[in-house]
Each structure stands twice: as structure tokens, then as C-alpha cells.
């Protein structure tokens, strides 16, 4: 009798040990994710201090898609909030440009390889290969304010999303905040009957 009880106890302990080592069966989920990271690090796209007499301020962003769904996908961008001051003064659209960096991807097709204004409409940045291979690529943003641009602290926001083609998988979305401090050193406003005009006076003009 004792031997039977002992064997039963050993059996129960064995079952418990298998359960602990193997654990419960976990359901598997398809992976489809998007990350957007400034190339210089951090979580925001920061143009820093820029003066209208400076050349272009250039910043890069790395976009990465991780997937195992086996479906082709596209990556889009949209300017959700233009670079603007708290008083709603916006950076001119022709002074905030972007393009995808050629050869920064390993598969698929880069769109928008020519410089163009950052737009509030959806813009396709990348289309994957037909197998839907995960990939990464870089996008270059340039800021070049003119002398007419008001000085101040500017904030904006962009939205990126990856969308599977012919798939029930939902799209994934990431946002990226942008900041810039614009100055207009050496600029003078002259008011006339017709309005005002801003000119720059350099040290050689004095």
C-alpha cells in the first residue's frame, strides 16, 4: 500500500515538474510593428537653434518595419501639425523639405527620393517587396527659414504608419514631435505706407 502511494506521489511530482518546465502553451501572434527614431538618438526630431542666415539644417530619421505576416506593405507619412509658434506662425512649406535616402534600405522600393515639401496629405515613403520582408530606411529632413520667417520657438508633429496590402492585419502608427528655435539676428523691419519689409544688415554694411 505504501509503495503504491509512493509511486502515485512520484507521478504527481513528475507531472508538476513537466508543467513548470514547459509552462502553459502560449498563443502565437503575427508580428507587425513600426519604429521611427531620429538618427542622432532621442525621441524627438530637434533642429536646434537656426538662424535665417544659416545654410540648411539637416536631420535624419530611421524608419524600421518588423514583420512576419508575409504580406506586402507600404509606409506613409503625414504632417499632422506644421512647424509653428504658439501664436500659430508657421514655417513656409517650401522651407521644410524632405527626401528618402537612396540605398538606405535593403529591399523594397523607396519613394520620394527627390526633395519635396513635407505635406499634410498622406505621402508614400516606401513599398516593401512582394514577400513583405521587414526592412529599414532613412528619411532626410531639411529646414531653411528665410529672412521673412519670424523668430521664435516652433513645434510640429508628424505621423507615420505602415499598412499591409491585401491583409486583415491592422496598420501600425507612430508619431514624431519636432522642435526648432529660429532667430533672425541682424534683421531689421522697416515700416512704410504699404506695410513692412524685413532686411538684413551685416557688419560690412555699417
Amino acid at each position: 500500500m505504501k509503495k503504491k502511494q509512493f509511486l502515485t506521489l512520484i507521478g504527481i511530482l513528475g507531472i508538476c515538474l513537466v508543467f513548470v518546465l514547459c509552462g502553459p502553451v502560449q498563443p502565437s501572434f503575427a508580428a507587425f510593428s513600426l519604429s521611427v527614431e531620429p538618427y542622432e538618438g532621442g525621441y524627438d526630431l530637434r533642429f536646434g537653434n537656426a538662424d535665417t542666415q544659416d545654410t540648411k539644417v539637416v536631420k535624419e530619421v530611421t524608419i524600421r518595419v518588423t514583420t512576419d505576416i508575409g504580406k506586402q506593405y507600404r509606409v506613409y507619412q503625414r504632417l499632422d501639425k506644421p512647424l509653428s509658434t504658439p501664436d500659430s506662425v508657421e514655417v513656409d512649406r517650401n522651407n521644410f523639405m524632405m527626401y528618402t535616402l537612396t540605398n538606405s534600405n535593403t529591399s523594397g522600393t523607396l519613394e520620394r527620393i527627390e526633395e519635396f515639401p513635407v505635406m499634410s496629405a498622406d505621402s508614400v515613403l516606401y513599398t516593401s517587396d512582394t514577400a513583405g520582408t521587414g526592412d529599414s530606411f532613412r528619411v532626410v529632413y531639411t529646414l531653411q527659414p528665410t529672412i521673412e520667417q519670424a523668430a521664435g520657438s516652433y513645434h510640429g508633429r508628424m505621423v507615420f504608419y505602415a499598412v499591409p496590402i491585401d491583409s486583415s492585419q491592422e496598420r501600425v502608427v507612430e508619431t514624431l514631435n519636432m522642435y526648432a528655435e529660429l532667430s533672425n539676428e541682424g534683421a531689421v523691419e522697416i515700416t512704410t505706407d504699404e506695410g513692412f519689409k524685413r532686411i538684413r544688415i551685416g557688419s560690412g554694411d555699417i
Side-chain angles (χ1 to χ4, degrees):
M1 186 71 178
K2 291 184 178 180
K3 183 178 181 181
K4 185 176 181 181
Q5 291 177 339
F6 177 76
L7 292 176
T8 301
L9 179 61
I10 292 297
I12 294 174
L13 290 175
I15 293 173
C16 292
L17 181 61
V18 170
F19 183 80
V20 169
L21 292 176
C22 298
V25 177
Q26 297 292 333
S28 60
F29 296 96
F32 188 64
S33 63
L34 172 71
S35 67
V36 180
E37 301 176 352
Y39 190 66
E40 296 177 346
Y43 300 98
D44 307 315
L45 187 60
R46 296 184 177 272
F47 290 93
N49 298 316
D51 188 81
T52 55
Q53 64 183 335
D54 296 335
T55 56
K56 289 182 180 179
V57 180
V58 181
K59 298 293 180 181
E60 294 184 14
V61 167
T62 300
I63 298 177
R64 186 182 308 277
V65 176
T66 302
T67 175
D68 63 3
I69 64 174
K71 294 290 185 178
Q72 190 176 28
Y73 59 89
R74 289 193 177 98
V75 178
Y76 295 81
Q77 172 195 279
R78 173 168 50 84
L79 183 62
D80 188 54
K81 179 184 181 297
L83 275 170
S84 56
T85 66
D87 297 327
S88 300
V89 177
E90 298 182 7
V91 170
D92 187 277
R93 66 188 301 269
N94 293 317
N95 299 327
F96 184 34
M97 311 283 283
M98 66 158 292
Y99 59 91
T100 55
L101 188 61
T102 304
N103 296 325
S104 63
N105 60 315
T106 56
S107 63
T109 303
L110 290 174
E111 314 288 350
R112 302 293 187 178
I113 59 176
E114 301 292 337
E115 193 172 41
F116 76 106
V118 179
M119 303 172 62
S120 57
D122 292 341
S123 300
V124 180
L125 301 181
Y126 172 88
T127 302
S128 77
D129 58 20
T130 55
T133 306
D135 201 0
S136 65
F137 61 96
R138 299 212 300 269
V139 185
V140 181
Y141 297 92
T142 63
L143 179 63
Q144 188 175 27
T146 64
I147 194 173
E148 288 79 19
Q149 188 69 51
S153 298
Y154 286 75
H155 167 250
R157 182 174 55 252
M158 287 188 292
V159 175
F160 301 84
Y161 49 97
V163 182
I165 301 173
D166 298 328
S167 172
S168 59
Q169 183 78 29
E170 295 185 357
R171 71 179 188 177
V172 287
V173 182
E174 286 290 330
T175 60
L176 182 67
N177 287 304
M178 306 175 292
Y179 299 91
E181 295 289 335
L182 303 186
S183 60
N184 229 327
E185 296 180 4
V188 177
E189 289 186 1
I190 298 178
T191 303
T192 66
D193 293 338
E194 290 77 22
F196 75 89
K197 181 177 182 181
R198 185 180 286 117
I199 65 172
R200 181 178 300 283
I201 299 178
S203 58
D205 300 321
I206 300 177

